[in-house]
Amino acid sequence: MRVKVLSRNPDDYVRETKLDLQRVPRNYDPALHPFEVPREYIRALNATKLERVFAKPFLGSLDGHRDGVNCMAKHPKSLSTVLSGACDGEVKIWNLTKRQCIRTIQAHEGFVRGICARFCGTSFFTVGDDKTVKQWKMESPEYGEEEPIHTILGKTVYTGIDHHWKEAVFATCGQQVDIWDEQRTSPMCSLTWGFDSISSVKFNPIETYLLGSCASDRNIVLYDMRKSTPLKKVILNMRTNTLCWNPMEAFIFTAANEDYNLYTFDMRFLESPVTVHMDHVSAVLDVDYSPTGKEFVSASFDKSIRIFPVDKGRSREVYHTKRMQHVITVKWTSDNKYILCGSDEMNIRLWKANASEKLGVLAPREKAAMNYNQKLKEKFQYHPKIRRIAQHRHLPKSIYCQIKEQRIMREARRRKELNRRKHSKPGSVPLVPEKKKHIVAVVK
């Protein structure tokens, strides 16, 4: 005779202390839960609505500059330290935790055109309109006036500077790209291709001997430090203001252009960009990648900053305030949590990278709920109601009207092209894809 005995383990249902939550037995058989998907859909809808309710990205502003903020640099070792240079030649070092200026230096006469920190974080370099390159200690002197460690007097005005990620080498740009050794007062080598001035130069963070520059004759030029000649260049329809390398993918960089777009290129295939990012309604002035390499932030003349996923053509987030004017420079902090932007009206603003993120320490249950809601939003992201709520953003009237106007213009151009193709000989008006429209030529 077979006897069936119920066997229960008290560990499965008895609480260890009174403070513990009651354990609820649950059968995951889908036949017993016919309304699971509708229930999850409602939860996803509520989570999306709450995300928009709690989206308060602005954290605070750092004021103290007496002129527009022209450039910024992150400290390579300290998350709470940031450097900024203004149009009156003043450089300030800020403590982000206290939101205070901890040091002010009158570095140059005229604009501070570029600023960058040394890879070890002990010193930083500035270039200005007074044709000088200056190296300063990161720590303030115990007594006496601020004096630079080194000063290099150049022949022409320098418009940008960037430091090598591993060696005591830095690059400046102006009439040409100069590679300098920190111990010497003359450049190790000078690289030119064309005769126009160069607005920005950036070292690749992975393949550290590669660098890219943007010239005012609409070129993006790539150089290899090991050779004394440029590698190749791509010519666009309009001028590129600056570029930024992806910190995770060695060959990828994003260029901020005057034609309101950003272009992500693979340096091996410059014939067409990987992605064209379009959402701004005025010239894009600066761009910076997140440390994960999955997103980047752009600053524009249209008084807003936008966050773009690398593989998407449209922005996921737009930040603006009533007081914020033309945004000249932008930086994404090294902990992937915050964004800093410097603008015309002498302020540096601190934003959350994720607008609805709760700051501070999260309880385990909060973390679990947050992760669950995130997965639900991902699961139902293409449902019309959820998509509409998640994508909706309030915009200033000026930007809203410009977007509307540009949409009409774009539609008119498309209609004109269709009509021209319809009434022409077959094949005489070729169909040019959007990615290739903006590229004039690639020269090797």
Side-chain angles (χ1 to χ4, degrees):
M1 193 174 86
R2 186 182 291 173
V3 179
K4 288 184 180 177
V5 180
L6 288 174
S7 170
R8 289 199 182 97
N9 185 356
D11 291 347
D12 294 338
Y13 55 89
V14 176
R15 293 185 296 173
E16 288 183 12
T17 67
K18 285 182 182 178
L19 300 173
D20 283 359
L21 294 171
Q22 290 280 10
R23 292 190 183 182
V24 181
R26 188 129 182 254
N27 189 337
Y28 289 96
D29 181 9
L32 298 174
H33 302 281
F35 299 114
E36 189 176 21
V37 174
R39 199 181 297 133
E40 280 187 346
Y41 173 75
I42 294 297
R43 283 177 187 167
L45 189 64
N46 290 340
T48 310
K49 286 177 181 175
L50 285 174
E51 184 190 35
R52 299 315 311 144
V53 168
F54 292 123
K56 293 188 169 47
F58 182 66
L59 293 173
S61 69
L62 311 172
D63 46 347
H65 276 294
R66 290 172 295 182
D67 209 332
V69 182
N70 199 45
C71 53
M72 284 196 297
K74 295 179 283 191
H75 193 291
K77 303 287 181 188
S78 164
L79 284 174
S80 61
T81 309
V82 84
L83 305 101
S84 64
C87 296
D88 58 354
E90 203 172 59
V91 170
K92 283 183 180 285
I93 302 177
W94 303 88
N95 186 322
L96 292 180
T97 5
K98 296 176 182 174
R99 295 189 200 166
Q100 283 177 355
C101 173
I102 51 177
R103 193 168 156 215
T104 306
I105 306 163
Q106 187 58 46
H108 295 276
E109 289 175 21
F111 282 42
V112 179
R113 290 288 173 190
I115 186 168
C116 69
R118 198 172 187 271
F119 62 92
C120 59
T122 53
S123 63
F124 64 94
F125 294 82
T126 59
V127 291
D129 277 354
D130 52 5
K131 301 182 185 177
T132 56
V133 181
K134 293 183 181 179
Q135 184 181 4
W136 307 81
K137 272 191 176 171
M138 199 64 82
E139 300 298 324
S140 54
E142 292 176 12
Y143 56 89
E145 285 188 16
E146 297 274 9
E147 289 293 331
I149 308 168
H150 297 300
T151 304
I152 299 167
L153 187 58
K155 292 173 186 171
T156 55
V157 173
Y158 296 112
T159 53
I161 187 168
D162 196 31
H163 202 283
H164 195 281
W165 290 79
K166 290 176 182 171
E167 293 170 21
V169 171
F170 64 93
T172 59
C173 62
Q175 295 292 316
Q176 61 201 16
V177 172
D178 293 323
I179 312 289
W180 305 76
D181 190 303
E182 285 181 12
Q183 307 304 320
R184 293 170 60 180
T185 53
S186 58
M188 292 195 297
C189 71
S190 296
L191 305 160
T192 53
W193 194 349
F195 300 100
D196 268 296
S197 60
I198 295 158
S199 57
S200 110
V201 63
K202 292 282 165 75
F203 274 101
N204 190 320
I206 303 166
E207 302 291 346
T208 49
Y209 46 80
L210 289 176
L211 61 156
S213 73
C214 307
S216 56
D217 57 355
R218 305 173 299 157
N219 292 346
I220 299 171
V221 190
L222 302 176
Y223 307 94
D224 191 330
M225 232 169 58
R226 298 167 299 184
K227 298 199 293 184
S228 55
T229 54
L231 289 175
K232 48 180 154 178
K233 69 175 175 181
V234 57
I235 305 167
L236 279 79
N237 275 333
M238 289 183 80
R239 190 168 77 106
T240 301
N241 288 314
T242 186
L243 61 86
C244 186
W245 294 92
N246 190 320
M248 287 294 169
E249 295 179 66
F251 303 111
I252 306 293
F253 66 89
T254 298
N257 204 278
E258 284 280 329
D259 65 359
Y260 316 167
N261 297 340
L262 295 113
Y263 301 99
T264 298
F265 284 98
D266 186 325
M267 64 171 283
R268 296 164 295 181
F269 315 107
L270 290 175
E271 286 73 22
S272 74
V274 179
T275 319
V276 180
H277 310 273
M278 4 171 57
D279 254 346
H280 282 295
V281 291
S282 194
V284 189
L285 300 179
D286 200 12
V287 59
D288 192 37
Y289 265 93
S290 71
T292 57
K294 289 183 179 177
E295 292 181 318
F296 62 83
V297 61
S298 64
S300 173
F301 201 75
D302 64 12
K303 307 176 188 177
S304 71
I305 62 173
R306 286 182 182 267
I307 301 170
F308 290 87
V310 174
D311 53 347
K312 300 276 196 308
R314 299 285 173 185
S315 61
R316 73 158 173 88
E317 199 63 80
V318 54
Y319 294 157
H320 54 83
T321 67
K322 276 186 182 176
R323 291 185 181 182
M324 188 158 78
Q325 296 304 306
H326 313 307
V327 191
I328 298 168
T329 177
V330 72
K331 284 279 176 268
W332 199 309
T333 56
S334 304
D335 60 350
N336 198 29
K337 287 208 167 186
Y338 306 103
I339 288 166
L340 290 149
C341 71
S343 47
D344 255 358
E345 83 306 336
M346 306 174 274
N347 264 357
I348 296 168
R349 288 183 173 78
L350 186 64
W351 308 84
K352 284 192 266 187
N354 187 0
S356 57
E357 184 183 17
K358 186 184 174 186
L359 298 178
V361 181
L362 295 178
R365 286 181 71 193
E366 274 182 314
K367 262 186 202 168
M370 193 179 73
N371 293 337
Y372 177 60
N373 286 339
Q374 190 60 39
K375 282 293 170 197
L376 284 178
K377 282 184 283 187
E378 281 173 25
K379 183 177 176 180
F380 294 98
Q381 63 184 327
Y382 297 112
H383 283 242
K385 232 179 183 179
I386 289 176
R387 193 176 179 186
R388 186 184 62 79
I389 295 166
Q391 288 189 349
H392 179 73
R393 296 289 180 276
H394 284 290
L395 293 167
K397 194 176 179 182
S398 59
I399 296 179
Y400 181 78
C401 291
Q402 278 176 289
I403 288 174
K404 207 170 166 186
E405 191 182 318
Q406 281 175 20
R407 194 182 297 129
I408 294 165
M409 286 159 67
R410 203 161 44 241
E411 194 56 42
R413 279 198 298 270
R414 194 182 68 84
R415 212 166 42 243
K416 186 177 181 179
E417 195 181 329
L418 282 172
N419 289 339
R420 193 177 282 167
R421 192 173 293 115
K422 200 189 324 182
H423 299 292
S424 300
K425 186 180 161 187
S428 61
V429 181
L431 191 67
V432 184
E434 182 64 42
K435 287 181 180 179
K436 292 197 175 179
K437 275 181 190 171
H438 311 279
I439 309 296
V440 176
V442 176
V443 186
K444 293 182 183 178

